[in-house]
Amino acid sequence: MASPSFPPIVLAFAATDPTGGAGIQADLLTLSSMGCHALSVVTAITIQDTAGVENLQAVDSDWVADQARLVLEDMQVAAFKIGLVGSIENVAAIAEVVSDYPDVPLVFDPVLASGRGDELATEDMISAMCELLLPQTTILTPNSREARRLAQTDGEEEEELTLAGAAEKIIGLGCEYVLITGTHENTPKVVNTLYGQEGVVRSDSWERLAGSYHGSGCTLAAAIAATLANGVELPQAVHEAQEYTWQTLNAGFRPGMGQYIPDRFFWAREMDVPGAGKP
């Protein structure tokens, strides 16, 4: 944990996003908004806008590992957050780095596709994630589509898997908890369910907002990492992170022609009114 003299430190592995809506930029904004100091390791460079991802260039895995190791030798982190990894080589490099810090909570957002559906992970990358990263993961934060894809076995259709069944399979691969988000499910409210070794730990329902959002998953995972870094126990950390994320979406804005972007500093604009703070 961090000294009281400075904020807790969280190291995020993720790709860049020129829009600032998702990726490493979303992590930095979220972690800062929630009182943490963010370290960043860039795994890939993307060409994208608020509608989708046009192209992706993975960073060399040695560079990924070296970025992380140098700052980790210099500073003590209170949590890790992993987003888009970029390549199968980067999966292995990140897994090797974090294996040296088994007591540090690891939040993994398995980014497999963009909101538009652009593929961002191959089947080989998914297999490597399951083999190398999931056994080291404190909490995985897939949406329902990602959860089914991660849990899918040969010859099995994704639609055949219930979310509870997918969670059970994922936990069987070694991670401690799985928070499956229900944005893509056909339910009146968005239901996010946290699963552990014994089954459902908690289930939270949130008002379904109109429109679609660029970077909501990144925001949620980074918010969980921030709350864990601040010393909150995991089930409560998950709830507080969901509350924060819903508020960022509710205050979201649409600066381009694609999806809305979460406002990670919604609370600052709520205070920014004439006369605020004045006697």
Side-chain angles (χ1 to χ4, degrees), residues 1-253:
M1 295 302 296
S3 161
S5 62
F6 58 84
I9 298 172
V10 178
L11 173 57
F13 296 87
T16 63
D17 176 5
T19 74
I24 202 72
Q25 286 89 340
D27 294 342
L28 299 178
L29 287 166
T30 300
L31 293 167
S32 298
S33 178
M34 299 193 74
C36 294
H37 177 71
L39 310 181
S40 57
V41 170
V42 175
T43 59
I45 300 168
T46 69
I47 299 172
Q48 64 178 298
D49 57 16
T50 56
V53 179
E54 296 298 323
N55 211 340
L56 179 151
Q57 176 64 58
V59 172
D60 182 89
S61 59
D62 287 340
W63 278 65
V64 171
D66 289 347
Q67 287 179 80
R69 291 200 183 280
L70 203 60
V71 292
L72 287 168
E73 289 168 4
D74 186 40
M75 290 177 271
Q76 183 176 355
V77 300
F80 290 115
K81 186 268 178 181
I82 301 174
L84 190 151
V85 292
S87 69
I88 192 169
E89 293 81 7
N90 285 350
V91 173
I94 294 168
E96 185 175 352
V97 169
V98 299
S99 69
D100 291 335
Y101 304 87
D103 296 329
V104 176
L106 190 158
V107 182
F108 183 19
D109 174 23
V111 181
L112 307 183
S114 73
R116 185 174 64 184
D118 310 297
E119 288 293 330
L120 301 174
T122 65
E123 292 304 316
D124 286 344
M125 286 171 62
I126 292 172
S127 295
M129 291 176 193
C130 291
E131 181 180 348
L132 300 176
L133 285 176
L134 262 61
Q136 303 188 67
T137 297
T138 306
I139 177 169
L140 189 76
T141 62
N143 60 42
S144 56
R145 293 174 180 172
E146 291 165 337
R148 289 188 172 102
R149 190 172 172 190
L150 286 166
Q152 186 182 14
T153 55
D154 290 340
E156 183 179 32
E157 295 294 330
E158 290 182 29
E159 294 76 12
E160 295 175 359
L161 276 171
T162 64
L163 293 183
E168 183 178 1
K169 286 190 174 186
I170 292 169
I171 289 173
L173 295 172
C175 67
E176 294 181 44
Y177 295 91
V178 180
L179 175 66
I180 300 181
T181 59
T183 304
H184 298 296
E185 297 300 289
N186 186 24
T187 54
K189 289 190 173 185
V190 175
V191 181
N192 301 332
T193 306
L194 177 66
Y195 299 88
Q197 295 287 344
E198 305 303 320
V200 175
V201 177
R202 69 174 304 137
S203 185
D204 298 286
S205 297
W206 303 94
E207 179 187 345
R208 187 176 289 278
L209 300 170
S212 61
Y213 296 84
H214 183 56
S216 56
C218 305
T219 304
L220 176 59
I224 294 173
T227 48
L228 291 174
N230 276 294
V232 181
E233 292 296 320
L234 192 139
Q236 183 61 27
V238 165
H239 178 74
E240 290 185 14
Q242 289 179 81
E243 173 67 34
Y244 168 84
T245 302
W246 189 89
Q247 294 292 348
T248 70
L249 301 180
N250 190 45
F253 54 98

